[in-house]
């Protein structure tokens, strides 16, 4: 079975990942050691042979000291001041069931952004480390239930609940179901 052709977004992301590694003068082995993503997977990601999962992208963002939003914004055109719902960039990780909408993408000179996330029932995403230590986040659940673990403490959030925290270590997002969870994260860079 032949692999599907990469989308233009996948090609730009692959090129940016290769460019970041070159900017840091890291070999594939160096980046693999820093990110925990295998050398062969990194090579395939940089050639757009595969799309990264949310967890892989999270590990790479940690290695490069960037938020996922910042990295994804780097492969987009300069964002406009007004971003209509139909024009908001959407990224999907089919493996984990995670859909990420960049409601208010990062922009030079601004420290905040808004992200809408959706997880299907029983889906979970584990992040080994924050992309930027001390990253401030405000997570507001719109629909469904979300179990989030921060600093080793689990919080079960229902629609309308908000959790505020600074991210210093691993985190886990889990949708216990029975319905999908939809939430908004306000990210404020330190």
């Amino acid at each position: 079975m032949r692999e599907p052709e990469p989308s233009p977004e996948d090609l730009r992301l692959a090129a940016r990942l290769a460019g970041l590694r070159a900017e840091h003068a890291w070999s594939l082995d160096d980046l693999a050691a820093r990110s925990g993503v295998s050398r062969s997977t990194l090579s395939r990601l940089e050639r757009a042979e595969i799309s990264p999962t949310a967890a892989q992208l999270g590990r790479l963002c940690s290695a490069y000291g960037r938020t996922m939003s910042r990295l994804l914004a780097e492969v987009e055109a300069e964002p406009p001041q007004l971003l209509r719902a139909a024009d908001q960039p959407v990224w999907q990780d089919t493996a984990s069931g995670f859909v990420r909408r960049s409601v208010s993408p990062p922009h030079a000179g601004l420290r905040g952004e808004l992200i809408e996330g959706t997880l299907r029932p029983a889906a979970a995403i584990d992040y080994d480390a924050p992309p930027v230590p001390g990253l401030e986040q405000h997570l507001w659940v719109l629909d469904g239930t979300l179990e989030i673990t921060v600093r080793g403490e689990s919080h079960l959030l229902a629609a309308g609940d908000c959790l505020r925290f600074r991210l210093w270590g691993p985190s886990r997002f889990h949708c216990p179901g029975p319905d999908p969870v939809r939430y908004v994260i306000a990210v404020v860079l330190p």
Side-chain angles (χ1 to χ4, degrees), residues 83-136:
L83 195 58
R84 304 280 182 201
D87 298 326
Q88 295 167 357
V90 175
W91 180 77
Q92 298 183 34
D93 175 6
T94 54
S96 69
F98 176 56
V99 178
R100 180 187 188 286
R101 176 181 301 277
S102 192
V103 176
S104 174
H107 189 278
L110 299 176
R111 293 184 19 225
E113 60 187 279
L114 289 176
I115 300 153
E116 176 188 15
T118 304
L119 274 175
R120 68 179 177 230
I125 303 172
D126 293 292
Y127 296 103
D128 297 330
V132 178
L135 190 65
E136 180 181 344

Side-chain angles (χ1 to χ4, degrees), residues 33-111:
R34 292 172 189 271
S35 68
V37 177
S38 75
R39 182 187 193 286
S40 61
T41 298
L42 291 170
S43 177
R44 293 186 71 204
L45 289 172
E46 289 183 4
R47 292 190 316 259
E49 291 177 3
I50 58 173
S51 292
T53 65
Q56 289 167 339
L57 212 49
R59 288 185 194 109
L60 292 171
C61 286
S62 292
Y64 291 126
R66 284 176 157 65
T67 65
M68 192 180 302
S69 295
R70 177 86 40 202
L71 175 63
L72 294 175
E74 290 173 2
V75 299
E76 299 284 330
E78 180 70 21
Q81 186 175 10
L82 173 63
L83 195 58
R84 304 280 182 201
D87 298 326
Q88 295 167 357
V90 175
W91 180 77
Q92 298 183 34
D93 175 6
T94 54
S96 69
F98 176 56
V99 178
R100 180 187 188 286
R101 176 181 301 277
S102 192
V103 176
S104 174
H107 189 278
L110 299 176
R111 293 184 19 225

Side-chain angles (χ1 to χ4, degrees), residues 132-153:
V132 178
L135 190 65
E136 180 181 344
Q137 295 190 2
H138 302 254
L139 190 148
W140 180 34
V141 175
L142 302 174
D143 301 300
T145 305
L146 178 68
E147 180 183 17
I148 179 167
T149 305
V150 179
R151 294 185 183 164
E153 185 177 350

